[in-house]
Amino acid sequence: METKTVWETYSYETKRECEGFCKEYMDFLSRAKTERECIAAFRQQLEADGYRPLGFYQKERKGLGPGDKVYEVHMDKTLVAFHIGSQPMEDGMNILAAHLDSPRLDLKQAPLYEKEGLVYLDTHYYGGIKKYQWVSMPLALHGVVIKEDGQRVELTMGEEPREPVFFISDLLIHLAQEQMKKKAEKVIEGEQLDVIIGSRELEPILRLLEEKYGITEEDFFSAEIEVVPAGQAREAGLDRSMVLAYGQDDKVCAYGACRAFIEDETPQRTDCLLLVDKEEIGSVGATGMESGFFENMVAEVLSLMEKGKEAVWLSTRRCLSKSRMLSADVNSGFDPTFGDCFEGKNSSYLGRGMVLSKFSGSSGKSGGNDANPEFIAYLRRIFGEKRIMFQMAELGKVDLGGGGTIAYIPARYGMEVVDCGIAVLNMHAPWEAADKGDIYEMKRGMSAFLTAKNNH
Ligand code: MN
Ligand code: MN
């Protein structure tokens, strides 16, 4: 099979579009590091394109019809949007889905303490991380504190060049003879991931929090503060071919999906954008894919469209079962340094375009989604027409590990779902790498999926 890179196939014009797109993507990554910040950014993009919250249509008693644009945000951490198509929604939707949460360190609810004059914030890590990667690097704090009276204080500390950053200490090499003999999972342990925020005792820090942010120690009880790598998304490589940034899993797919969604101006089938939280800890909770939010919103939209017709629950079921979904998440790009963890023929490679994974899961495909060949053939056809470069890949060698995505959850409705995404290097590390050509090609692939005529 031919192994051209996306970049080789792009015209001068397309290369410029790709560069422009990636620049906007990097700007987004630099300011949206948490789920809430992503939701705020996407809400802004949707509003600017004429999308209105569900409540707007409900209050106006306007009903919904072809061409209408509606979205809803749930608990500031998950979002669904619909661009109503000219065909009945009961015939199904074209859905782009991705997740917004990324591995990180969350502050505990009683995080503050002092030891020998050093002041710490205690953390509990979120998602799959290699703990040793998080020490001795600049860290930032992002999050919200909800005061007892409901007042909400939003925090970002450590991102502006003149703002102070935070860090977790590592043992100096001179005294690390015992540490260096430990297994990688024990070199730094969960309880050692405590962030240093000062070296002049606790009292002045408490005063500073009170004066500058109006936060008391007890306010951390009702706070969600995430510790993330400080700093902006960067171009990587002498050829500037890549993006190195925190949280590309899975913000790269979320960003591409939102852009492709907004760009489709006259959908035949209804377009749907679904951005969820909590994928990294098993899609659980009210804002994860397991939540009833998505299904409820489909029912709400249908109830505004089909008054007096059959029971909404039935049309909701019909709509969902006839839908098609690209469940977008990053794939483990082939890494020559660790080549023996991959099986070359069925791996994704940086620069070779969008990735389709027929199945996910671990050991015997356990816990994964397995897409139908009929659906993959359909995608090959529409990608072929738009000359979208794609590669087929699984997550690595059989029996070395594996992983799941959200794909198996919507598949329960009986819809066609396939995993897709792009190759990244050092997935789940504080800084993840992706190829610019892939980033743009995935967006093009998502657009091709949404705009495909329904006569396929
Ligand atoms: Mn992911
Ligand atoms: Mn992940």
Side-chain angles (χ1 to χ4, degrees):
M1 273 178 280
E2 69 172 342
T3 54
K4 266 193 177 158
T5 66
V6 173
W7 202 247
E8 289 171 277
T9 68
Y10 276 1
S11 64
Y12 176 73
E13 197 44 47
T14 316
K15 281 179 181 166
R16 279 191 43 186
E17 287 166 16
C18 171
E19 287 291 352
F21 182 83
C22 287
K23 191 180 171 306
E24 286 160 5
Y25 166 58
M26 286 192 288
D27 288 345
F28 159 78
L29 279 182
S30 298
R31 61 195 155 84
K33 293 191 177 180
T34 69
E35 315 76 72
R36 287 170 192 262
E37 289 165 351
C38 287
I39 290 290
F42 290 133
R43 189 202 293 261
Q44 203 180 8
Q45 289 189 20
L46 289 168
E47 286 277 348
D49 196 58
Y51 285 80
R52 293 293 171 264
L54 185 70
F56 168 83
Y57 288 95
Q58 287 170 327
K59 264 192 224 119
E60 305 275 308
R61 298 180 196 288
K62 280 168 63 164
L64 280 168
D68 280 337
K69 298 172 170 182
V70 56
Y71 77 94
E72 188 68 7
V73 164
H74 191 46
M75 297 171 170
D76 289 336
K77 293 182 233 176
T78 179
L79 176 152
V80 63
F82 305 85
H83 190 175
I84 310 297
S86 51
Q87 291 181 359
M89 244 178 94
E90 270 187 59
D91 292 353
M93 305 181 285
N94 285 337
I95 308 168
L96 295 176
H99 69 92
L100 301 173
D101 58 319
S102 302
R104 60 181 188 249
L105 312 177
D106 286 338
L107 290 198
K108 289 188 184 180
Q109 268 26 81
L112 272 165
Y113 74 98
E114 178 200 320
K115 233 180 195 171
E116 309 301 337
L118 289 175
V119 185
Y120 291 88
L121 285 170
D122 203 340
T123 70
H124 194 133
Y125 66 95
Y126 172 98
I129 62 165
K130 289 179 168 178
K131 291 159 208 151
Y132 64 79
Q133 291 178 334
W134 288 74
V135 297
S136 63
M137 66 181 301
L139 298 170
L141 302 177
H142 290 234
V144 292
V145 179
I146 312 296
K147 309 271 292 172
E148 212 172 20
D149 63 1
Q151 189 207 331
R152 175 197 168 98
V153 184
E154 296 195 21
L155 295 177
T156 318
M157 304 181 198
E159 294 293 356
E160 296 303 322
R162 286 168 176 279
E163 274 178 348
V165 292
F166 313 95
F167 66 98
I168 297 166
S169 62
D170 194 4
L171 183 61
L172 61 166
I173 185 70
H174 314 71
L175 297 180
Q177 276 189 26
E178 293 305 317
Q179 186 197 34
M180 297 300 281
K181 287 181 203 146
K182 289 182 181 173
K183 283 190 173 167
E185 60 173 6
K186 297 277 183 190
V187 166
I188 297 289
E189 298 194 58
E191 282 299 354
Q192 292 174 320
L193 291 175
D194 291 357
V195 182
I196 296 179
I197 60 163
S199 62
R200 295 182 191 166
E201 304 188 327
L202 184 55
E203 206 43 49
I205 295 248
L206 284 174
R207 244 192 338 246
L208 216 143
L209 284 172
E210 175 98 55
E211 282 163 16
K212 200 163 174 210
Y213 300 98
I215 304 168
T216 66
E217 209 175 343
E218 276 198 357
D219 287 334
F220 284 103
F221 287 175
S222 49
E224 247 174 28
I225 298 177
E226 305 180 9
V227 182
V228 295
Q232 308 220 315
R234 304 283 297 264
E235 290 181 302
L238 207 54
D239 55 4
R240 296 175 184 265
S241 54
M242 294 168 283
V243 171
L244 187 72
Y246 166 71
Q248 300 206 68
D249 176 6
D250 186 30
K251 296 173 178 72
V252 66
C253 298
Y255 186 80
C258 186
R259 289 284 300 262
F261 177 77
I262 283 174
E263 283 169 21
D264 186 18
E265 275 162 9
T266 47
Q268 270 189 341
R269 276 160 77 94
T270 292
D271 286 346
C272 175
L273 173 70
L274 176 60
L275 302 175
V276 296
D277 178 30
K278 297 283 183 284
E279 191 274 344
E280 297 294 357
I281 59 167
S283 297
V284 292
T287 56
M289 189 65 234
E290 295 272 14
S291 154
F293 169 67
F294 170 57
E295 183 181 335
N296 293 347
M297 287 310 115
V298 175
E300 292 284 6
V301 165
L302 280 162
S303 80
L304 287 175
M305 293 182 67
E306 308 188 3
K307 279 183 196 133
K309 281 183 72 185
E310 283 172 286
V312 168
W313 72 265
L314 184 59
S315 40
T316 302
R317 297 285 144 184
R318 283 180 181 155
C319 169
L320 288 169
S321 72
K322 287 183 185 154
S323 289
R324 306 178 184 124
M325 178 186 283
L326 293 186
S327 174
D329 208 337
V330 292
N331 193 266
S332 51
F334 187 92
D335 186 340
T337 305
F338 304 100
D340 54 359
C341 298
F342 297 85
E343 188 270 286
K345 305 187 298 307
N346 291 282
S347 292
S348 62
Y349 293 82
L350 258 65
R352 296 191 197 167
M354 189 171 181
V355 177
L356 288 185
S357 294
K358 184 176 181 300
F359 57 85
S360 53
S362 49
S363 48
K365 303 190 180 181
S366 175
N369 178 63
D370 199 345
N372 292 313
E374 288 85 350
F375 186 39
I376 294 178
Y378 165 79
L379 292 171
R380 284 176 62 196
R381 213 149 60 226
I382 62 176
F383 287 171
E385 281 167 16
K386 293 276 166 70
R387 298 185 185 280
I388 307 298
M389 274 183 75
F390 72 95
Q391 41 184 336
M392 299 297 297
E394 50 180 297
L395 200 62
K397 260 189 185 166
V398 180
D399 280 341
L400 269 194
T405 62
I406 62 166
Y408 73 95
I409 306 166
R412 284 177 192 153
Y413 296 116
M415 66 172 73
E416 297 278 16
V417 186
V418 68
D419 279 291
C420 70
I422 62 164
V424 301
L425 293 184
N426 33 302
M427 189 195 296
H428 280 212
W431 300 92
E432 300 170 315
D435 184 278
K436 283 181 183 173
D438 295 336
I439 294 168
Y440 192 56
E441 200 61 7
M442 174 173 59
K443 199 278 289 183
R444 294 206 326 120
M446 288 168 159
S447 291
F449 169 69
L450 293 183
T451 56
K453 294 289 167 256
N454 206 18
N455 52 12
H456 279 286

